[in-house]
């Protein structure tokens, strides 16, 4: 039964021309310089300070460290972080 749903999901992904990363629920990170970070497919915010933001995503914690970090915008699937980003880490 699960295999049947997996095949259906694969066919839908191809028919809708969705990127494979998104259809599998992978986390997508887009870093623009050291000031802007966009993350797609995250699950939630674990902690938030100006020096560190921790996000949960697909069984992992994404830790963003830096100075004057801010959450500029977010939806249930995407988040934009600004500030001086010094380090990204999966835990």
């Amino acid at each position: 039964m699960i295999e049947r749903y997996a095949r259906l999901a694969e066919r839908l992904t191809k028919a809708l021309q969705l990127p494979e990363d998104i259809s599998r629920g992978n986390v997508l990170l887009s870093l623009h310089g050291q000031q802007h970070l966009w993350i797609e497919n995250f699950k939630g915010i674990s902690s938030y300070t100006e020096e560190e933001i921790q996000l949960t995503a697909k069984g992992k914690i994404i830790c963003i460290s830096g100075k004057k970090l801010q959450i500029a915008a977010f939806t249930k699937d995407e988040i934009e972080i600004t500030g001086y980003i010094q380090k990204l880490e999966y835990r």
Side-chain angles (χ1 to χ4, degrees):
M1 187 73 143
I2 293 173
E3 188 175 307
R4 183 175 161 198
Y5 287 116
R7 286 192 306 250
L8 177 61
E10 185 178 324
R11 286 190 306 217
L12 281 172
T13 298
K14 288 180 183 177
L16 296 173
Q17 298 179 345
L18 296 173
E20 191 173 317
D21 287 338
I22 291 175
S23 67
R24 290 187 178 183
N26 292 338
V27 178
L28 303 175
L29 297 116
S30 181
L31 181 63
H32 296 254
Q34 285 186 284
Q35 289 80 30
H36 294 299
L37 173 65
W38 286 269
I39 300 174
E40 297 178 55
N41 295 332
F42 80 105
K43 302 289 183 197
I45 301 167
S46 297
S47 67
Y48 173 33
T49 68
E50 285 191 344
E51 290 80 34
E52 182 178 87
I53 298 173
Q54 290 187 8
L55 307 173
T56 56
K58 201 172 181 180
K60 299 275 186 183
I61 299 287
I62 300 172
C63 183
I64 302 102
S65 301
K67 297 178 183 174
K68 297 184 181 180
L69 298 177
Q70 295 182 18
I71 297 174
F74 75 97
T75 66
K76 68 177 190 132
D77 296 321
E78 300 178 21
I79 190 165
E80 177 186 0
I81 297 171
T82 60
Y84 181 67
I85 299 164
Q86 295 174 311
K87 183 168 87 171
L88 290 171
E89 180 180 19
Y90 279 97
R91 296 183 184 165

